[in-house]
Amino acid sequence: MEYRPVCHSLNALCSSPVKKKLILLSIMFFIWVYMLYSCVGYCSTMPTLAVDGYRGKEADSAVGKRTESGGTDLVSRLLAKPQPWEDVESDYEEPSVRTGASRDLLNEEPDADRAEEWDEARGDQQRAPEPSAMSSFSNGSGSKKLPQAIIIGVKKGGTRALLEFLRVHPDIRAVGAEPHFFDRNYENGLEWYRELMPKTLEGQITMEKTPSYFVTREAPARISAMSRDTKLIVVVRDPVTRAISDYTQTLSKKPDIPSFESLTFKNRTTGLIDTSWSAIQIGIYAKHLDNWLQYFPMDQILFVSGERLISDPAGELGRVQDFLGLKRIITDKHFYFNQTKGFPCLKKAEGSSKPHCLGKTKGRTHPNIDPEVVQRLRDFYRPFNMKFYQMTGHNFGWD
């Protein structure tokens, strides 16, 4: 029959040693390709599964802790309660006489300033590049820690500029917006505060800045209770210029407020300065520093010159990096001077390859103030400045 020759041919083919080897190699090749295909398909899902699993466990754990204590979850609390993101000091008791109403205009929490801080924080997010799958996986590593360093003041001293400059350093991770934990949100607890912090790796420093801490009476004790090793940074500026800048910020939002001159004096004729106005009170640095020195030694507090932060940003940033125990990575090469704004800008911001200046709300033109009022303020601040120079061992040259 015809099938016999066919079988004979197949047997002859299969019995050949060369043919046997080819068949074996073909089978091994197809098995290897199948295994490779299966591995690629499985491995491609690993980052997403790992991140989702980690986030899910972390979220479940955080929610569980809060619900067991009778509280609500973090997201609900943040959405339910407006967050104070602006630089505003509200530590002073306002008098119920003469200028009580006008003081309220200057010391309340303006929504516009709240929006300014939020816009800057949102701008940081917009500058960050889109993460790849693998970078998202790597970003899941690290942990949220309570800050080891805090910029505690002062309002309108240059704290936003300092924070933006510091965020260029790879070993510094900082919150963009102001938590206001130690002055307004302390009742939320340290775990709430920790959740606001970015994740950091071993060797990185977690930071935040809230300028109103410096003038908040309870803040030193509260920060000390969190950690006595916390490093504190205070950006100070000529108190007269600072007060005018403070007023200018409010004036830009509320054009109908009283004049700077009328708010400065209790009595213009006698020349008695009204220290109940927060714009004046904040600049009495020696008084506020006394409160901090009850809880922290002087070598744990660094005072940064707001003026030098403009004229020599790299020099001041060098001092800050030394204070934090970090390598001097931020240098002159990171800055250029913007003639229009009148202050330095970053050549490359964090997470971006483009130049970055602070927002349009920074560098406002100050109103013209009566030179006599300015001189009286300088005379008022002089003894306090001298005391501050003695306490810090540094002459800031404001007189």
Side-chain angles (χ1 to χ4, degrees):
M1 297 186 62
E2 292 182 357
Y3 70 89
R4 288 182 179 178
V6 173
C7 292
H8 178 73
S9 299
L10 288 173
N11 290 334
L13 179 65
C14 295
S15 62
S16 171
V18 175
K19 299 299 182 181
K20 286 183 178 180
K21 290 182 180 179
L22 287 175
I23 293 173
L24 181 61
L25 288 173
S26 299
I27 294 172
M28 293 177 64
F29 175 77
F30 283 116
I31 292 174
W32 179 80
V33 170
Y34 176 78
M35 292 177 63
L36 180 63
Y37 175 81
S38 300
C39 181
V40 170
Y42 175 76
C43 292
S44 65
T45 62
M46 283 294 288
T48 304
L49 290 173
V51 172
D52 290 347
Y54 174 82
R55 288 175 178 170
K57 290 179 181 179
E58 184 180 55
D60 291 342
S61 175
V63 171
K65 290 179 181 178
R66 280 186 288 274
T67 53
E68 286 176 5
S69 61
T72 57
D73 65 277
L74 175 63
V75 175
S76 300
R77 292 172 66 180
L78 288 175
L79 291 176
K81 182 177 180 179
Q83 296 302 305
W85 300 127
E86 78 290 5
D87 295 346
V88 180
E89 278 69 20
S90 58
D91 185 51
Y92 305 106
E93 297 179 1
E94 299 303 332
S96 57
V97 297
R98 189 178 69 85
T99 55
S102 59
R103 269 246 174 1
D104 290 341
L105 290 172
L106 290 174
N107 295 334
E108 66 184 357
E109 301 176 10
D111 292 335
D113 290 339
R114 194 181 298 243
E116 287 176 13
E117 288 290 346
W118 175 248
D119 286 342
E120 289 185 359
R122 183 172 56 189
D124 295 338
Q125 296 172 355
Q126 292 173 346
R127 288 197 302 273
E130 289 295 326
S132 64
M134 287 307 294
S135 65
S136 297
F137 178 62
S138 62
N139 287 341
S141 60
S143 59
K144 294 186 176 184
K145 302 174 184 175
L146 293 170
Q148 295 94 33
I150 304 176
I151 301 174
I152 60 172
V154 298
K155 179 185 177 184
K156 308 309 296 180
T159 58
R160 170 58 58 181
L162 177 61
L163 185 70
E164 291 297 301
F165 295 161
L166 283 173
R167 292 174 76 183
V168 174
H169 200 293
D171 291 333
I172 292 178
R173 297 295 312 281
V175 183
E178 297 171 5
H180 283 277
F181 175 66
F182 295 104
D183 58 349
R184 301 179 192 166
N185 297 303
Y186 194 64
E187 70 282 357
N188 290 334
L190 283 174
E191 285 307 310
W192 178 90
Y193 185 46
R194 189 198 305 270
E195 282 296 318
L196 300 180
M197 300 299 123
K199 288 183 178 180
T200 54
L201 301 173
E202 188 67 28
Q204 289 183 319
I205 293 177
T206 303
M207 289 188 67
E208 71 115 318
K209 78 107 176 171
T210 304
S212 53
Y213 291 162
F214 188 62
V215 298
T216 300
R217 285 186 292 269
E218 299 82 7
R222 290 172 174 177
I223 295 177
S224 178
M226 176 187 72
S227 173
R228 294 182 179 180
D229 297 325
T230 306
K231 293 188 176 182
L232 309 172
I233 301 174
V234 189
V235 187
V236 289
R237 182 184 184 186
D238 181 337
V240 177
T241 309
R242 197 223 64 82
I244 297 172
S245 179
D246 198 339
Y247 174 81
T248 303
Q249 175 176 288
T250 307
L251 182 66
S252 68
K253 312 305 174 190
K254 300 181 181 296
D256 57 342
I257 61 174
S259 68
F260 180 86
E261 289 83 354
S262 64
L263 292 166
T264 298
F265 299 101
K266 285 185 176 179
N267 187 314
R268 181 70 183 269
T269 303
T270 62
L272 184 62
I273 303 295
D274 193 345
T275 58
S276 64
W277 181 25
S278 66
I280 300 296
Q281 177 73 257
I282 292 169
I284 308 176
Y285 303 139
K287 170 189 173 183
H288 305 302
L289 180 56
D290 262 334
N291 189 28
W292 287 90
L293 292 179
Q294 296 179 36
Y295 298 89
F296 292 93
M298 186 65 79
D299 60 6
Q300 244 173 273
I301 309 175
L302 178 69
F303 295 91
V304 175
S305 167
E307 288 81 11
R308 283 182 56 83
L309 200 57
I310 295 175
S311 63
D312 181 21
E316 286 301 280
L317 266 293
R319 294 180 58 240
V320 177
Q321 291 171 94
D322 291 345
F323 175 69
L324 296 175
L326 300 174
K327 182 180 179 181
R328 285 198 177 195
I329 290 178
I330 307 172
T331 61
D332 283 319
K333 68 182 181 181
H334 289 90
F335 301 98
Y336 73 95
F337 192 82
N338 186 302
Q339 297 291 344
T340 302
K341 283 185 168 291
F343 52 74
C345 302
L346 288 169
K347 290 181 180 178
K348 292 182 180 180
E350 179 199 28
S352 172
S353 59
K354 298 179 180 179
H356 171 60
C357 284
L358 296 181
K360 62 183 180 180
T361 61
K362 306 301 180 182
R364 296 185 182 96
T365 301
H366 291 180
N368 293 323
I369 306 298
D370 186 341
E372 180 187 352
V373 174
V374 173
Q375 187 56 51
R376 288 195 181 186
L377 275 175
R378 294 206 176 281
D379 294 339
F380 166 78
Y381 279 120
R382 186 170 293 110
F384 297 109
N385 291 343
M386 294 299 107
K387 176 65 175 176
F388 185 64
Y389 297 167
Q390 292 174 2
M391 297 172 75
T392 60
H394 183 76
N395 187 331
F396 290 89
W398 295 324
D399 297 295

